[in-house]
Amino acid sequence: MAIRPRRHSAPDGLAALARELLWEEAAQALSGFRVLLAHQEGSDRSAETVHDLHTLISLIRSADPTRANPEVEQRILHLAHMEHLPHTDRMDPADELARRWDEFSCYLQFIGALPEVFARRNYAARKAAYTGPTKPHGDLQRLAEARLEMTVSPHSARKILQQFRTQWALRPATIPPATQHSTLLVTGLQPESRVIVPSSRTP
């Protein structure tokens, strides 16, 4: 993984480094699935999705990790929460590509949750508020459990992640308006479907 060297000041530097690593991880996962999709039979039907993934990868890699970027994180999150492959008819669950999409989208949900937890301000205060003996679904160990559960069932792992997101009051899978400098659309979403991310959720 090629990471551009940057100078950061702690603790903001740790958050920026976390974003850079996790965004690159997401970009690499998207790239891998894009290649898989392009080599499938009937790849002409998925050409629009292949192109949209390229657009999203470019957006991620052009983002500045030294500051929070709700647009990037929301686009990753929205894609991860799609029930079936964008720009396709609902697939047979037994289909190989459908199975790969289940695995991939679940992994993307996992990657997408990490910067929301670890790369935001007031981590210690948030951890104290969202974890504890009476809040088992918010335990950070649940993230590790979800990652392991993916090898057994992405559907089961997704339930763990959804419970964790709810406990930590993480943002829903909606898309903010495009930034002034970007008109890129996430796969399958129209402009009127976008909503503004509450400012209280961003650093």
Side-chain angles (χ1 to χ4, degrees):
M1 180 190 307
I3 300 297
R4 298 181 299 277
R6 302 175 190 269
R7 292 184 178 180
H8 306 300
S9 59
D12 290 342
L14 293 177
L17 181 59
R19 285 189 203 101
E20 189 164 18
L21 291 170
L22 292 169
W23 287 351
E24 179 60 24
E25 178 71 14
Q28 289 195 17
L30 288 163
S31 295
F33 189 80
R34 182 172 174 268
V35 170
L36 173 69
L37 189 59
H39 286 84
Q40 291 292 312
E41 271 189 55
S43 59
D44 55 318
R45 293 187 311 234
S46 56
E48 191 172 355
T49 301
V50 171
H51 174 73
D52 284 344
L53 292 179
H54 170 74
T55 297
L56 181 54
I57 292 165
S58 296
L59 180 64
I60 293 170
R61 286 181 167 158
S62 65
D64 179 5
T66 62
R67 58 186 178 84
N69 191 317
E71 183 182 8
V72 166
E73 293 176 5
Q74 286 296 94
R75 289 173 188 275
I76 293 171
L77 180 60
H78 178 82
L79 181 62
H81 279 74
M82 287 185 173
E83 293 183 3
H84 57 91
L85 190 64
H87 299 309
T88 63
D89 296 329
R90 188 173 294 274
M91 296 177 288
D92 182 342
D95 183 80
E96 172 69 11
L97 191 57
R99 184 180 66 80
R100 293 294 188 95
W101 174 254
D102 281 342
E103 295 171 351
F104 170 72
S105 60
C106 184
Y107 180 66
L108 208 56
Q109 278 192 40
F110 172 75
I111 290 295
L114 298 182
E116 289 192 77
V117 173
F118 298 108
R120 298 212 181 287
R121 293 177 182 172
N122 303 318
Y123 168 73
R126 289 185 291 113
K127 181 183 177 187
Y130 299 138
T131 63
T134 62
K135 304 170 184 177
H137 293 318
D139 193 313
L140 293 174
Q141 181 61 28
R142 297 287 284 172
L143 290 174
E145 291 173 8
R147 183 66 185 92
L148 290 173
E149 189 68 6
M150 286 180 210
T151 63
V152 178
S153 167
H155 300 287
S156 175
R158 196 174 285 112
K159 287 184 181 297
I160 296 173
L161 291 169
Q162 288 170 348
Q163 291 170 344
F164 182 88
R165 294 191 68 84
T166 298
Q167 182 61 57
W168 274 73
L170 301 183
R171 60 166 66 103
T174 50
I175 304 297
T179 63
Q180 181 179 354
H181 303 292
S182 174
T183 58
L184 303 178
L185 293 179
V186 76
T187 312
L189 199 71
Q190 299 302 316
E192 60 268 21
S193 302
R194 297 166 174 169
V195 299
I196 298 175
V197 177
S199 58
S200 60
R201 296 287 181 90
T202 55

